Amino acid sequence: MDDLHKRLKVIEEEAKSAAAAAAAKSIEALRQAESRFLGKKGSLNEIVKSVGKLPPEQRAEVGRLANDAKRLVKEIFASMRQDSTARAAEAERQQAVAYDPTLPGPVAPSGGIHPTTAVLWELTDVFERMGFVVEAGPEMESEFYNFESLNIPSWHPARDSQDTFWLTNGLLLRTHTSAMQVRAMRKYGPPLRVVVPGMCFRNETVDASHETTFHQFEGFLVDRHISVGNLKAFLQLMLREVFKRDVKIRLRPGYFPFVEPGLECDMSCLICGGKGCPTCKYEGWVELLGSGMIHPNVLTAGGIDPHEYTGFAFGVGPTRLAMMKYGIGDIRLMNSCDLRGLIPPERLTGPTIKTT
Ligand code: FA5
């Protein structure tokens, strides 16, 4: 019996130091150490199992001693478990305290700006500085504002040049931002200076310079004594602001029913340096905009007396400007969601925040 006492004492001591060592490591290590003493094949269970083989008069006493030792070892591990959970909670608390909320946070990667957006900001900025108001207008437009008010009745062949998406609700997707001309004339009356950045839609065959969904930027000014000279000066100023230098342009007669005379403005292709490439359809020139002096019928539709007032209007493709400015050879890349095409904010040359 003395031997058993000694053996149980040794087991208790071993359990104490094993529990302390395991608790310093992890809860899992503690669980493994506990099963070495209390598991099915643990040292204490071996003693309990051997009780059956003892002489009957010793069994009760040995069983009692072994069970006492088991209880004690269980308590040792339970208290160690509690300690190590408390220590983990404390470590977590300490870590939270160590967190300094006044330190600067990790730097998030900053976004880039789409080249067309950058050009639109620049265009809007330069015209706002010259007293133009910015209008958006609806993308779902009526036939009246998109065509009829612009001197394009239903029988007019010019309708064919703007393949139109007709909607089932009697409206259409506007084919150009000129649709805002008569709306703005009726809203503001003369004299007026308005720009309209906005999306336009045409059922066109897509190629390197044509998309079915594209931006336009319309500008029009109505006042007394406005001439083609004013139009040319504004166009040159606009292009100088966008390209930050003088660029080679040419004006040539162009037909739009809502202007008289009508002028198209081309720019020497910056992709090929004017030699010819798919972007400029091998002509060396890229068509940037349509423009002209507002037709008297349009002024009349807008409630303005054409005998007293004249005005100019132009509609430019900001996407094409962006392609020239940033050397992008194919308009399809602009809507391709390729993030490599975005301009890091530090490379922007114009205003970076625009609220309209
Ligand atoms: C017009 O849309 C006229 N409303 C412009 C205008 C306004 C003329 C005021 C006179 C007075 P046009 O269809 O040429 O014209 O388009 C004008 C510009 O929009 C083009 O020069 C081009 O830069 C851009 N554009 C036209 N169609 C597309 C297209 N499918 N994809 C990309 N850009 C286009």
Side-chain angles (χ1 to χ4, degrees), residues 162 176 178 181 202 204 209-211 214 216 218 256 258-259 264 287-292 313-317 320 331:
Q162 300 192 356
H176 53 176
S178 302
Q181 285 189 18
R202 290 185 199 173
E204 297 222 31
S209 56
H210 291 83
E211 267 283 8
F214 56 96
Q216 272 194 353
E218 188 90 1
F256 303 94
F258 37 99
V259 284
E264 295 209 57
E287 179 200 312
L288 280 187
L289 59 90
S291 64
F314 65 85
V316 63
R320 294 207 187 150
I331 198 169

Side-chain angles (χ1 to χ4, degrees), residues 15 35 82 117 123 142 164 167 179 198 211 227-228 230 254 267 301 334:
S35 78
Q82 251 175 10
T117 308
L123 288 171
S142 69
T164 309
L167 303 175
E211 267 283 8
S227 70
V228 174
N230 299 112
M267 167 181 179
M334 307 294 262

Side-chain angles (χ1 to χ4, degrees), residues 277-291:
C277 67
T279 310
C280 61
K281 299 206 179 101
Y282 301 97
E283 284 182 6
W285 294 92
V286 177
E287 179 200 312
L288 280 187
L289 59 90
S291 64

Side-chain angles (χ1 to χ4, degrees), residues 228-242:
V228 174
N230 299 112
L231 168 64
K232 195 175 165 211
F234 271 92
L235 293 183
Q236 272 171 339
L237 190 136
M238 171 178 85
L239 295 175
R240 200 178 312 126
E241 282 287 325
V242 171

Side-chain angles (χ1 to χ4, degrees), residues 71-294:
R71 200 175 314 113
L72 193 75
V73 169
K74 250 186 206 158
E75 279 169 15
I76 290 168
F77 277 98
S79 91
M80 278 299 169
R81 218 180 345 262
Q82 251 175 10
D83 279 3
S84 77
T85 313
R87 260 199 311 278
E90 176 59 14
E92 211 170 284
R93 196 188 66 79
Q94 294 265 339
Q95 215 175 13
V97 171
Y99 171 71
D100 181 352
T102 63
L103 287 175
V107 180
S110 60
I113 305 297
H114 194 281
T116 307
T117 308
V119 166
L120 276 167
W121 284 351
E122 281 175 330
L123 288 171
T124 313
D125 181 65
V126 59
F127 281 98
E128 267 187 321
R129 280 190 273 130
M130 293 190 291
F132 283 69
V133 292
V134 183
E135 283 283 338
E139 289 176 357
M140 277 198 296
E141 186 53 280
S142 69
E143 196 175 345
F144 174 75
Y145 286 114
N146 199 82
F147 291 125
E148 274 153 29
S149 71
L150 293 172
N151 213 21
I152 316 176
S154 56
W155 51 263
H156 202 293
R159 286 212 180 184
D160 293 344
S161 67
Q162 300 192 356
D163 289 331
T164 309
F165 289 112
W166 295 93
L167 303 175
T168 49
N169 59 4
L171 300 176
L172 52 87
L173 291 181
R174 71 174 168 201
T175 56
H176 53 176
T177 41
S178 302
M180 272 305 284
Q181 285 189 18
V182 168
R183 279 182 184 279
M185 287 177 200
R186 291 180 175 185
K187 180 173 173 186
Y188 295 107
L192 62 99
R193 296 169 176 223
V194 180
V195 285
V196 187
M199 294 306 296
C200 299
F201 311 86
R202 290 185 199 173
N203 193 6
E204 297 222 31
T205 308
V206 173
D207 62 23
S209 56
H210 291 83
E211 267 283 8
T212 53
T213 302
F214 56 96
H215 290 267
Q216 272 194 353
F217 184 87
E218 188 90 1
F220 42 95
L221 183 152
V222 177
D223 209 332
R224 292 189 174 90
H225 316 301
I226 298 300
S227 70
V228 174
N230 299 112
L231 168 64
K232 195 175 165 211
F234 271 92
L235 293 183
Q236 272 171 339
L237 190 136
M238 171 178 85
L239 295 175
R240 200 178 312 126
E241 282 287 325
V242 171
F243 290 98
K244 311 294 174 215
R245 62 185 160 114
D246 285 320
V247 289
K248 205 165 144 194
I249 59 167
R250 72 174 184 193
L251 288 173
R252 58 189 164 84
Y255 178 68
F256 303 94
F258 37 99
V259 284
E260 181 55 41
L263 296 164
E264 295 209 57
C265 175
D266 302 330
M267 167 181 179
S268 176
C269 181
L270 297 184
I271 303 292
C272 60
K275 291 196 196 85
C277 67
T279 310
C280 61
K281 299 206 179 101
Y282 301 97
E283 284 182 6
W285 294 92
V286 177
E287 179 200 312
L288 280 187
L289 59 90
S291 64
M293 299 305 291
I294 301 176

